[in-house]
Amino acid sequence: MDHLASFGSDPFDKPPCRGCSSRLLEPYIKCAECGPPPLLLCLQCFTRGFEYKKHQSDHKYEIMTSDFPVLEPGWTAQEEMALLEAVMDCGFGNWQDVAYQMRTRSKEECESHYMKNFINNPLFSSTLLSLRQMEEARTADTAIPFRPSDDPPRPTFDSLLSRDMAGYMPARADFMEEFDNYAEWDLKDIDFVDDDSDILHALKIAVVDIYHSRLKERQRRKKIIRDHGLINLRKFQMLERRYPKEVQDLYDVMRRFARVVGPLEHDKFIESHALEFELRREIKRLQEYRKAGIRSFCSARVYERMKRVREDERRKRTMLCDVLQYIQDGRACQQWLHKQAAIDAGISPAVTSISSSATSRRSAPPLNLTGLPGTDKLNEKEKELCQVVRLVPGAYLEYKQALLNECRRQGGLRLAQARALIKIDVNKTRKIYDFLIKEGYINKA
């Protein structure tokens, strides 16, 4: 008689007893001569000598049971399967719930046995290592592979990093606001009951199918964002700026087709067009050299140097024409002399307006805060600040909260950090920063 068991299968999936049609409980009998399908009998039918068609009571048989040790003496195969099912149901680490579900082992016994035989076992560790290597080899061609980290970034709500990442939460691998975020509302009141008519039942099934299609679309969009590395938008924009302007325009146009192909194919497509642009530009330069009669690299370097000199002379003549146009204006002549001196010194001249109306520009009047949202949340000093810097109350409150959060996180805040956090005019940022320092909302680092 053999002791056999089928691991990884649900006991409820076994066929019932052929004799009495009851659910089989271990140990039970399997005929060694009949089948397939196998003929299984409970102990009661076996002792009565049950016979069915070609099956005879004197056939050879096997005793099917899992009451024998597999990995460790004292732990039967049935307990091993129960432990794995409990860990799968309750989660790794919830040993109190695992022991409660098993009912035959304590919390300490479950934890020590699982860690010894399934985590620290060299046989299982080598198997997991090979599976991990296969997974890494399969995802080697993706644009940005996502791997779990010990401490992923956790940006605070409505912070600058959270806005740059479009509300993505790396610790949960999910977005704060999903695509089609209210898709579940259509299902919250649906309940399947037995007295539903066929039409009503079909209508409810159709609503569930529609909900499944919306979930598939949500997952498809998240997969596109992750595969193409679009979560960190600022980093993605910095990668775009490495291309020339013509290739950047093409990138903007072709971005909508990125969802059709994979990230690697899309990057290859853009890189091929960038290479084509570079080749066309080099061919155009070579044609210009050939047209000028240049046939060596040394002559090409001399030609480029003389070309820059000609462009500088052309710019000087253009500036002279501009000054002669306003020759009666002494201020315009003075500006031209400063520009000429800067050019002769090898310094790029500053672009200034020669219009006399610039000197008579008046400062803008204070901003009227009457009726603007958020005004009631400001005190008198904050209202005065918003009027002077011409900043609406809603934007001021947002900037103030961002600076307070950053100061609380770092224990202090410098002006350079405030300017990097608030992307507005630097003078307005300085006034807001000085005001918050003076009123005691934040402190200097």
Side-chain angles (χ1 to χ4, degrees):
M1 293 183 298
D2 298 328
H3 295 270
L4 302 174
S6 56
F7 295 100
S9 60
D10 193 341
F12 292 95
D13 293 339
K14 293 192 296 288
C17 174
R18 176 64 69 177
C20 60
S21 299
S22 62
R23 185 168 66 89
L24 291 173
L25 298 177
E26 295 181 357
Y28 57 91
I29 305 300
K30 174 185 176 183
C31 180
E33 300 181 11
C34 299
L39 189 139
L40 306 178
L41 295 174
C42 63
L43 295 180
Q44 290 77 9
C45 294
F46 176 73
T47 55
R48 290 198 302 265
F50 175 79
E51 294 182 351
Y52 178 76
K53 294 183 179 180
K54 296 182 179 181
H55 173 68
Q56 302 297 323
S57 59
D58 58 350
H59 282 182
K60 296 179 180 180
Y61 62 92
E62 300 174 358
I63 299 178
M64 309 299 293
T65 180
S66 58
D67 190 15
F68 57 92
V70 177
L71 300 175
E72 183 178 342
W75 279 76
T76 64
Q78 188 174 3
E79 288 179 323
E80 298 285 358
M81 291 188 293
L83 176 62
L84 294 177
E85 291 176 359
V87 172
M88 184 181 299
D89 295 338
C90 304
F92 177 77
N94 298 328
W95 303 114
Q96 186 68 36
D97 297 337
V98 171
Y100 178 78
Q101 182 171 332
M102 285 195 62
R103 298 183 182 277
T104 59
R105 297 288 179 173
S106 64
K107 168 186 173 182
E108 291 76 12
E109 290 176 335
C110 294
E111 181 179 3
S112 61
H113 181 77
Y114 190 88
M115 297 298 295
K116 175 183 177 182
N117 295 280
F118 295 100
I119 300 299
N120 300 324
N121 193 334
L123 174 62
F124 290 100
S125 62
S126 60
T127 304
L128 294 176
L129 179 61
S130 62
L131 292 176
R132 188 179 299 112
Q133 291 175 351
M134 292 174 58
E135 180 67 17
E136 292 178 356
R138 186 179 65 84
T139 59
D141 294 335
T142 56
I144 300 181
F146 282 81
R147 298 183 176 87
S149 58
D150 295 335
D151 190 15
R154 293 174 173 85
T156 58
F157 175 72
D158 202 25
S159 62
L160 180 62
L161 180 58
S162 178
R163 290 195 296 268
D164 289 343
M165 299 176 65
Y168 182 74
M169 298 176 289
R172 295 176 53 185
D174 211 343
F175 287 91
M176 189 173 299
E177 184 174 352
E178 299 284 357
F179 168 76
D180 200 359
N181 200 36
Y182 300 98
E184 289 77 9
W185 280 29
D186 297 336
L187 295 178
K188 62 186 181 66
D189 297 328
I190 292 182
D191 187 15
F192 288 89
V193 294
D194 296 335
D195 56 350
D196 285 342
S197 62
D198 295 340
I199 297 179
L200 183 58
H201 183 78
L203 180 60
K204 292 180 179 179
I205 293 295
V207 172
V208 174
D209 292 339
I210 294 174
Y211 172 68
H212 285 168
S213 64
R214 297 166 76 177
L215 287 183
K216 290 180 181 178
E217 177 63 19
R218 180 186 296 175
Q219 295 298 326
R220 187 185 71 86
R221 290 173 177 260
K222 291 169 67 173
K223 185 177 184 300
I224 292 174
I225 292 176
R226 289 171 175 170
D227 291 346
H228 289 268
L230 303 179
I231 292 178
N232 196 334
L233 183 59
R234 181 172 299 179
K235 182 178 180 181
F236 184 76
Q237 291 174 347
M238 291 176 61
L239 293 176
E240 282 187 356
R241 295 193 186 102
R242 60 179 178 170
Y243 297 115
K245 185 179 182 305
E246 292 79 1
V247 181
Q248 292 182 16
D249 297 339
L250 176 65
Y251 210 120
D252 294 336
V253 175
M254 300 304 297
R255 185 182 291 115
R256 67 193 66 180
F257 298 103
R259 67 184 69 181
V260 181
V261 297
L264 186 62
E265 290 78 6
H266 183 69
D267 291 343
K268 286 182 178 179
F269 177 78
I270 299 299
E271 289 289 343
S272 62
H273 280 75
L275 179 59
E276 179 186 359
F277 174 78
E278 292 292 336
L279 292 177
R280 289 180 179 274
R281 186 168 61 180
E282 291 297 324
I283 291 174
K284 187 176 180 180
R285 286 181 57 191
L286 293 176
Q287 290 177 346
E288 181 182 359
Y289 292 159
R290 182 60 60 89
K291 186 177 180 180
I294 298 174
R295 297 182 179 275
S296 64
F297 288 106
C298 182
S299 302
R301 287 193 293 269
V302 175
Y303 174 79
E304 290 292 338
R305 186 165 58 252
M306 297 303 298
K307 183 179 179 181
R308 288 194 295 269
V309 172
R310 289 195 300 269
E311 290 178 354
D312 293 340
E313 293 293 336
R314 188 181 301 110
R315 187 174 60 178
K316 291 179 181 179
R317 289 196 297 269
T318 303
M319 293 180 62
L320 180 59
C321 294
D322 293 338
V323 173
L324 291 177
Q325 183 178 359
Y326 300 96
I327 193 64
Q328 296 179 354
D329 190 350
R331 183 171 175 273
C333 294
Q334 192 69 22
Q335 287 181 354
W336 179 83
L337 292 175
H338 285 299
K339 290 181 181 179
Q340 186 66 30
I343 293 174
D344 294 338
I347 305 174
S348 178
V351 179
T352 57
S353 174
I354 59 176
S355 175
S356 59
S357 61
T359 58
S360 60
R361 180 182 300 173
R362 295 180 299 176
S363 60
L367 180 65
N368 187 9
L369 303 181
T370 305
L372 293 180
T375 306
D376 54 338
K377 300 180 181 179
L378 306 179
N379 55 35
E380 295 301 327
K381 293 183 178 180
E382 290 177 331
K383 291 180 181 179
E384 182 179 357
L385 174 67
C386 291
Q387 290 175 348
V388 172
V389 301
R390 297 185 59 83
L391 193 65
V392 295
Y396 166 74
L397 292 174
E398 181 180 356
Y399 300 150
K400 174 184 175 183
Q401 188 62 37
L403 293 176
L404 290 177
N405 293 338
E406 189 70 14
C407 179
R408 191 181 302 111
R409 188 176 67 87
Q410 299 186 4
L413 193 66
R414 299 195 303 269
L415 178 60
Q417 295 174 331
R419 288 175 175 173
L421 195 63
I422 302 178
K423 300 298 182 180
I424 59 175
D425 181 65
V426 293
N427 297 321
K428 292 184 178 181
T429 305
R430 183 178 187 86
K431 292 180 180 179
I432 296 175
Y433 177 79
D434 294 340
F435 174 79
L436 296 179
I437 291 289
K438 180 180 178 181
E439 296 298 324
Y441 290 107
I442 61 176
N443 55 343
K444 293 183 179 181

